[in-house]
Amino acid sequence: MIHHKIHHNVASISKEWDSLAVHDILLQSKYLKAFEEASPGNIKLYFVEVFNESSLVGLAVIQHVQLYLKDMFRDTKVSCFKEFLKQNLSKVLKGNILVIGNLTHTGQHGICFNSEKISINQFYSELFNATLELKKQIKKEKGKTLRIIMMKDFFQDDKLLNTNFLIKEKLHKVKVQPNMMLNTRTHWETNEDYVAAMTKKYRTRFKRAKKKLNGIVHREMDLETIKANSKRLHQLYLNVSKNAKFNTFILPENHFYSYKYHLKDNFKVYGYFLDNEIVGFYTLILNNNDLETYFLGYATAHQYKNQLYLNMLYDMVNFGISNKFKTVVYARTAMAIKSSVGAKPKDMIIYLKHTNRVINLILRQIFKLMDPTQDWEERHPFKNE
């Protein structure tokens, strides 16, 4: 018999969980524990286990997110018409959503199952039974009514995607910003090989960016250094976060320390130091063959003058090549500059529905107004592209 269990904390999940999620560190208990200890204040985690008789055959991470759009839109110069739309979207969509997946990370890091022991239809059916149970629990325990159910983020050809089931459940397919991904080449043994593969224009750009560091030193930060500088790292992170046009959460101050503590060598923090002051940083998650870029931050005064962001992108590639990763996952946003270092866009989709039937009929159009997609020109930094 197929059945499920819902857990409210990582400590109570089955010992077999990690064996099923071995392919993805963002689904493993050490990552989930780090997230649980340092999650944004508006996100609560739930863990769903799907069983066939007594065997664990599937799992899902679900986030209960308290989402208020008036806080999600940043103060940017927009037309009166767009401001009017924002205010009214806030009224329509404000409230609580259930995300099957990870709102803080680009990519499908929400579900997995053993296809030899459960069919995809059986898994999805039991997963959605769990969402109905969670909906009732949240209403009873917290007095909150769920407005939206969302599944994120899938590639168009994802084998875990059950399109027919989601359409039957009246979820809308919505295209979102692409995931920017750089596939390293087999002959890239060193960073010099990567630079040599560029056209003259982009080799010059690379060299100019490195010169503009002007004495800023780039080095890895260990656990104690991260702990001692948690406040500074958080300030630099907020410098970037507050300038985003659209956001759904704010990381707490202990976030990067918690990740380093639990993930150890699978989580890297690299700082940029000027006279022993941290003026920028970036983070990486080492996920099997994928190098997942994570959050970063910088002092605004040094961003343009020293080209900190561009140097971070180059240094991420260097780490990926040096450590034999097949892919550097740059995630979404800032597509043009990421393409200038060699990343390619890969389309992503989400599925969602509103619990109000009338609003759900027009939800796809509403969400397109929310999504901060933008026109951009893809760059081609390599020869023979």
Side-chain angles (χ1 to χ4, degrees), residues 205-269:
R205 192 169 188 252
F206 174 89
K207 293 174 184 176
R208 184 170 60 243
K210 290 301 173 185
K211 286 181 181 178
K212 285 201 171 186
L213 282 173
N214 289 332
I216 293 177
V217 179
H218 164 247
R219 62 173 180 265
E220 185 175 0
M221 301 171 66
D222 61 19
L223 182 66
E224 291 308 311
T225 307
I226 295 167
K227 184 176 183 180
N229 291 279
S230 286
K231 187 172 184 178
R232 177 61 175 168
L233 293 175
H234 192 245
Q235 288 173 340
L236 296 174
Y237 151 74
L238 289 176
N239 281 346
V240 176
S241 176
K242 71 182 181 183
N243 288 322
K245 293 180 180 178
F246 183 80
N247 215 332
T248 53
F249 56 85
I250 296 292
L251 300 177
E253 190 174 300
N254 68 328
H255 189 83
F256 304 117
Y257 173 77
S258 178
Y259 272 46
K260 184 63 178 177
Y261 179 83
H262 287 284
L263 293 176
K264 298 181 171 54
D265 284 341
N266 289 114
F267 185 71
K268 301 288 185 180
V269 180

Side-chain angles (χ1 to χ4, degrees), residues 180-185 188 194 198 202 205 310 313-314 317 328 330 335-345 378-382 385:
M180 300 299 295
M181 306 175 74
L182 186 152
N183 294 322
T184 59
R185 302 182 182 183
W188 289 352
Y194 162 71
M198 295 177 178
Y202 285 94
R205 192 169 188 252
L310 182 57
L313 298 180
Y314 285 136
V317 180
V328 180
Y330 277 115
M335 284 86 76
I337 191 171
K338 288 175 180 176
S339 74
S340 77
V341 303
K344 296 289 185 183
E378 185 176 351
R379 309 293 196 263
H380 301 281
F382 300 124
E385 275 196 317

Side-chain angles (χ1 to χ4, degrees), residues 20 22 32 50 74 103 117 160 198 210 237-238 254 266 279 306 312 318 345 361 384:
L20 192 57
V22 68
L32 298 174
V50 177
R74 298 297 188 252
L103 200 63
K117 295 184 178 180
L160 294 178
M198 295 177 178
K210 290 301 173 185
Y237 151 74
L238 289 176
N254 68 328
N266 289 114
V279 296
N306 302 110
M312 289 179 188
N318 186 21
L361 292 173
N384 303 320

Side-chain angles (χ1 to χ4, degrees), residues 101-142:
N102 190 340
L103 200 63
T104 68
H105 202 92
T106 300
Q108 197 297 102
H109 302 290
I111 62 172
C112 73
F113 59 90
N114 185 339
S115 59
E116 295 180 358
K117 295 184 178 180
I118 189 171
S119 71
I120 191 169
N121 282 332
Q122 288 175 316
F123 174 75
Y124 268 71
S125 179
E126 201 60 36
L127 174 60
F128 274 73
N129 285 341
T131 65
L132 291 175
E133 184 179 335
L134 269 175
K135 180 181 175 182
K136 293 176 183 177
Q137 279 187 23
I138 291 168
K139 180 64 175 178
K140 181 179 179 180
E141 296 172 7
K142 302 179 184 297

Side-chain angles (χ1 to χ4, degrees), residues 24-263:
D24 187 358
I25 196 171
L26 279 86
L27 281 174
Q28 292 171 19
S29 58
K30 56 187 175 182
Y31 170 87
L32 298 174
K33 185 63 177 176
F35 190 98
E36 186 177 61
E37 286 187 0
S39 65
N42 64 329
I43 296 179
K44 169 71 173 74
L45 289 173
Y46 296 94
F47 310 95
V48 176
E49 297 179 332
V50 177
F51 294 86
N52 188 344
E53 301 298 341
S54 60
S55 297
L56 180 66
V57 295
L59 57 86
V61 177
I62 299 182
Q63 297 177 342
H64 170 210
V65 185
Q66 297 183 59
L67 189 66
Y68 295 91
L69 291 180
K70 62 187 175 111
D71 299 323
M72 292 162 56
F73 288 108
R74 298 297 188 252
D75 292 329
T76 53
K77 294 180 180 179
V78 295
S79 67
C80 293
F81 175 70
K82 287 186 177 180
E83 187 61 37
F84 172 79
L85 283 176
K86 288 179 182 180
Q87 294 300 324
N88 283 278
L89 284 173
S90 298
K91 294 175 183 177
V92 170
L93 296 176
K94 69 177 183 178
N96 293 257
I97 71 173
L98 214 56
V99 178
I100 302 171
N102 190 340
L103 200 63
T104 68
H105 202 92
T106 300
Q108 197 297 102
H109 302 290
I111 62 172
C112 73
F113 59 90
N114 185 339
S115 59
E116 295 180 358
K117 295 184 178 180
I118 189 171
S119 71
I120 191 169
N121 282 332
Q122 288 175 316
F123 174 75
Y124 268 71
S125 179
E126 201 60 36
L127 174 60
F128 274 73
N129 285 341
T131 65
L132 291 175
E133 184 179 335
L134 269 175
K135 180 181 175 182
K136 293 176 183 177
Q137 279 187 23
I138 291 168
K139 180 64 175 178
K140 181 179 179 180
E141 296 172 7
K142 302 179 184 297
K144 303 292 185 181
T145 300
L146 292 173
R147 301 295 182 188
I148 293 175
I149 295 176
M150 177 190 299
M151 289 195 75
K152 71 175 290 286
D153 294 305
F154 292 96
F155 295 123
Q156 300 277 3
D157 57 351
D158 199 313
K159 293 180 180 179
L160 294 178
L161 181 59
N162 191 343
T163 304
N164 292 334
F165 181 92
L166 296 173
I167 292 173
K168 182 180 177 182
E169 290 293 315
K170 297 183 171 54
L171 275 78
H172 296 286
K173 174 183 176 181
V174 179
K175 184 178 177 181
V176 292
Q177 286 184 342
N179 195 346
M180 300 299 295
M181 306 175 74
L182 186 152
N183 294 322
T184 59
R185 302 182 182 183
T186 53
H187 64 276
W188 289 352
E189 296 289 337
T190 66
N191 201 48
E192 287 71 25
D193 296 328
Y194 162 71
V195 177
M198 295 177 178
T199 63
K200 182 178 179 181
K201 173 184 174 181
Y202 285 94
R203 286 199 306 273
T204 301
R205 192 169 188 252
F206 174 89
K207 293 174 184 176
R208 184 170 60 243
K210 290 301 173 185
K211 286 181 181 178
K212 285 201 171 186
L213 282 173
N214 289 332
I216 293 177
V217 179
H218 164 247
R219 62 173 180 265
E220 185 175 0
M221 301 171 66
D222 61 19
L223 182 66
E224 291 308 311
T225 307
I226 295 167
K227 184 176 183 180
N229 291 279
S230 286
K231 187 172 184 178
R232 177 61 175 168
L233 293 175
H234 192 245
Q235 288 173 340
L236 296 174
Y237 151 74
L238 289 176
N239 281 346
V240 176
S241 176
K242 71 182 181 183
N243 288 322
K245 293 180 180 178
F246 183 80
N247 215 332
T248 53
F249 56 85
I250 296 292
L251 300 177
E253 190 174 300
N254 68 328
H255 189 83
F256 304 117
Y257 173 77
S258 178
Y259 272 46
K260 184 63 178 177
Y261 179 83
H262 287 284
L263 293 176

